[in-house]
Amino acid sequence: MRDHTGRYRTRYEDTLRALGHYLDQHRFTRIAVIETPEGFLVKGYVAAPGRDEESLSLAPETLLFTDADLNQLLEEAYRRRGTSGSSAPKP
């Protein structure tokens, strides 16, 4: 995956950290992540409140994160950490 300029390869660590933050925020569990030519395919279950206060309901969910989606997640992650996305390592 290339960064937003298309010049440098984005580090997997940054990409997976940003993707993991999204999945945590949306209460995903039992996750499979598959890299495809389009980006990352994520299959898992979303935890939602069940019928009573103590139970959870799991709904299956499949998402495709394209390079554009991942770039947006990375930019949000860089803002949260207070670092610039333009400081990507050189190839």
Side-chain angles (χ1 to χ4, degrees):
M1 178 184 149
R2 300 271 177 202
D3 71 0
H4 64 281
T5 67
R7 295 178 54 204
Y8 305 111
R9 185 149 179 84
T10 302
R11 292 178 29 185
Y12 275 108
E13 293 90 344
D14 289 341
T15 302
L16 293 175
R17 185 179 297 121
L19 184 57
H21 179 77
Y22 176 92
L23 296 173
D24 284 345
Q25 292 298 105
H26 290 86
R27 303 184 63 160
F28 270 77
T29 186
R30 300 179 187 173
I31 301 163
V33 178
I34 303 159
E35 187 174 15
T36 69
E38 293 82 20
F40 285 100
L41 180 68
V42 176
K43 296 184 86 161
Y45 293 86
V46 176
R51 293 180 187 208
D52 57 43
E53 293 178 15
E54 298 170 3
S55 68
L56 287 177
S57 170
L58 297 178
E61 185 85 32
T62 301
L63 299 172
L64 175 63
F65 290 87
T66 64
D67 284 347
D69 297 327
L70 294 168
N71 278 332
Q72 181 178 353
L73 290 178
L74 280 166
E75 288 301 320
E76 291 169 8
Y78 293 140
R79 276 194 297 277
R80 274 193 312 277
R81 288 187 287 181
T83 59
S84 170
S86 62
S87 63
K90 306 289 187 256

